[in-house]
Amino acid sequence: MTDVDACRRFTAIFHEHHRRVFAYAVGRAGREHADDVVAETFLVAWRRLADVPANPLPWLLGVARNVVHERYRDQVRQSALAAEMRAWVREAEEDVAEHVTDRAAVLLALAALGDADREILTLTAWHGLAARDAARVVGCSTATFFVRLHRARKRLQDALGVDRQTSSARLAKEYTR
């Protein structure tokens, strides 16, 4: 691959996936650290451009995940995530939309979950990854991912404190599809 081809490929990958990598970084490290995570992720992508697969998003999110794990200790990351969740809840409570209460309940329930459960749920619901691609991000088989996703959904429902027939549970299902 020539230098020009490499630059074009990298530029195309960057333009196509920057927003989703940034969203992932915000969800994992908080807004204050997201730019650093994204920058380091794309630096790794540039340096290892030959290793970037044809469908780069799962690979990029895997790199971003590793960057977060390498750069930030659990306590710092948890604090940033909790602050971000609280900000989302405050924003949700200030909304005048019809489903504000349900949204706030889901966000609070997500904040109460462990880091692994939150990641599993948001990879599929917020980042729109298929189970196969999300499994690559977290480094497990697709079958294992489905088991983890099922358990995370159950813990989310338990954290909501509602049975499956209520509107909050239906909303939670929407967030966890």
Side-chain angles (χ1 to χ4, degrees):
M1 178 181 297
T2 68
D3 289 344
V4 172
D5 291 337
C7 285
R8 284 185 184 140
R9 181 167 188 245
F10 177 79
T11 301
I13 290 169
F14 179 83
H15 286 297
E16 184 176 347
H17 299 292
H18 177 269
R19 291 184 72 196
R20 292 181 77 186
V21 172
F22 181 78
Y24 178 83
V26 168
R28 300 288 295 150
R31 286 184 184 163
E32 66 187 58
H33 301 293
D35 286 327
D36 293 336
V37 171
V38 171
E40 194 165 335
T41 298
F42 281 101
L43 177 62
V44 170
W46 172 251
R47 288 180 176 163
R48 297 184 52 205
L49 192 58
D51 297 332
V52 178
N55 178 14
L57 184 61
W59 188 89
L60 290 168
L61 294 181
V63 170
R65 181 176 192 256
N66 290 338
V67 167
V68 169
H69 283 288
E70 289 171 11
R71 293 188 60 159
Y72 307 104
R73 297 277 183 221
D74 285 343
Q75 184 178 15
V76 172
R77 189 173 66 246
Q78 288 292 347
S79 297
L81 288 170
E84 188 68 30
M85 290 291 192
R86 284 191 298 275
W88 289 349
V89 169
R90 279 193 300 275
E91 288 174 15
E93 290 171 343
E94 294 169 3
D95 287 347
V96 293
E98 181 178 308
H99 298 288
V100 171
T101 305
D102 288 339
R103 180 177 177 227
V106 170
L107 291 173
L108 282 171
L110 276 172
L113 295 178
D115 192 40
D117 286 343
R118 217 175 10 255
E119 180 179 27
I120 294 288
L121 293 169
T122 58
L123 280 172
T124 56
W126 291 356
H127 299 290
L129 292 182
R132 181 185 72 231
D133 294 333
R136 283 189 206 136
V137 172
V138 297
C140 67
S141 70
T142 303
T144 300
F145 182 82
F146 275 120
V147 170
R148 291 179 184 175
L149 179 61
H150 173 75
R151 291 176 180 163
R153 286 176 175 165
K154 174 72 172 108
R155 283 189 279 272
L156 177 61
Q157 288 176 341
D158 291 346
L160 284 167
V162 295
D163 76 46
R164 292 179 177 220
Q165 301 305 312
T166 65
S167 62
S168 292
R170 275 187 245 115
L171 180 63
K173 267 190 155 172
E174 288 178 28
Y175 274 95
T176 59
R177 278 188 198 158

